[in-house]
């Protein structure tokens, strides 16, 4: 552990995990918003919207995340000149958020849709019978119950997103995997200790997170 007694090495370690935290929070927020919209499309009475939602899920769920991240960087940024920020690290961060969001949204969509399927059809039929529109039925009746039913699956998706965030390091962002690589290159005699610290940090954060989502799912479960 002498490696982390050096303030410079500690800064590399902390900065790497701060980027992971930011990627997880921003990517999770984007994926949740987009995933809910896609789920609404998949249960929509409009065939075009259903087709779009189905195509999105099938394409992105079966495309490796690395390819999506590479497309965001080499396709959108390098080739098409699409830039979100002037600072290169910040630009790479937001490109990573875009890639993580569109990929993870496919899984969020399916989780939300499975929650929608747990809501008794009679409730939606009753809502339509009293004159509520599809949007009103979905937002006021169906989604609140569906959300409570899929807390545990969404927690698993968030945990997977946190681990997937390390892939953004492939486009140059100094997140935890790149930080670990740099520390190992500079301190080859402490490779095992460095790995254990980084792996342990993920475990210390993600294992309690999984238990927390499990507890919350039980607490908020819809009693039928």
């Amino acid at each position: 552990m002498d490696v982390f007694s050096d303030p410079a090495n500690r800064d590399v370690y902390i900065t790497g995990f701060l980027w992971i935290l930011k990627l997880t929070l921003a990517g999770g927020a984007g994926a949740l918003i987009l995933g809910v919209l896609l789920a609404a499309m998949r249960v929509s009475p409009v065939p075009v919207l259903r087709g779009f939602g189905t195509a999105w899920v099938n394409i992105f769920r079966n495309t490796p995340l690395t390819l999506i991240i590479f497309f965001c960087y080499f396709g959108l940024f390098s080739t098409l000149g699409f830039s979100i920020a002037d600072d290169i690290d910040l630009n790479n961060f937001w490109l990573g958020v875009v890639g993580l969001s569109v990929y993870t949204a496919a899984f969020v969509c399916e989780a939300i849709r499975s929650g929608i399927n747990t809501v008794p059809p009679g409730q939606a039929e009753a809502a339509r019978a009293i004159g509520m529109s599809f949007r009103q039925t979905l937002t006021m009746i169906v989604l609140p119950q569906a959300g409570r039913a899929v807390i545990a699956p969404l927690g698993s998706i968030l945990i997977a997103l946190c681990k997937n965030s390390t892939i953004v390091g492939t486009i140059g962002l100094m997140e935890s995997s790149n930080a670990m690589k740099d520390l190992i290159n500079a301190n080859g005699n402490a490779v095992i200790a460095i790995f254990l610290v980084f792996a342990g940090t993920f475990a210390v954060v993600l294992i309690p997170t999984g238990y927390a989502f499990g507890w919350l799912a039980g607490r908020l479960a819809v009693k039928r």
Side-chain angles (χ1 to χ4, degrees), residues 66-83:
T66 305
L67 292 184
I68 296 173
I69 297 296
F70 275 14
F71 172 78
C72 289
Y73 184 82
F74 294 106
L76 296 180
F77 175 58
S78 296
T79 304
L80 300 179
F82 177 76
S83 178

Side-chain angles (χ1 to χ4, degrees), residues 50-165:
R50 287 201 308 272
F52 179 83
T54 300
W56 184 293
V57 169
N58 288 333
I59 290 172
F60 285 100
R61 196 168 59 167
N62 293 289
T63 301
L65 178 57
T66 305
L67 292 184
I68 296 173
I69 297 296
F70 275 14
F71 172 78
C72 289
Y73 184 82
F74 294 106
L76 296 180
F77 175 58
S78 296
T79 304
L80 300 179
F82 177 76
S83 178
I84 304 176
D86 294 331
D87 180 76
I88 187 63
D89 282 337
L90 197 56
N91 187 63
N92 290 346
F93 165 77
W94 285 114
L95 290 172
V97 169
V98 170
L100 290 170
S101 296
V102 299
Y103 174 79
T104 309
F107 296 90
V108 172
C109 169
E110 290 302 274
I112 296 293
R113 191 168 70 95
S114 70
I116 291 174
N117 290 335
T118 67
V119 179
Q123 295 194 23
E125 292 169 2
R128 287 194 295 270
I130 62 174
M132 296 180 70
S133 66
F134 170 77
R135 180 183 62 82
Q136 291 172 323
T137 301
L138 189 67
T139 57
M140 298 174 64
I141 306 296
V142 178
L143 282 180
Q145 297 182 70
R148 293 172 65 179
V150 296
I151 291 175
L154 289 179
S156 298
I157 292 171
L158 180 66
I159 290 172
L161 170 62
C162 181
K163 293 183 288 186
N164 287 341
S165 297

Side-chain angles (χ1 to χ4, degrees), residues 16-58:
F17 275 100
L18 285 177
W19 279 121
I20 290 293
L21 179 61
K22 294 174 184 177
L23 285 167
T24 302
L25 294 177
L32 181 61
I33 294 170
L34 185 55
V36 170
L37 291 175
L38 290 170
M41 290 180 183
R42 294 213 63 184
V43 298
S44 168
V46 182
V48 173
L49 294 180
R50 287 201 308 272
F52 179 83
T54 300
W56 184 293
V57 169
N58 288 333

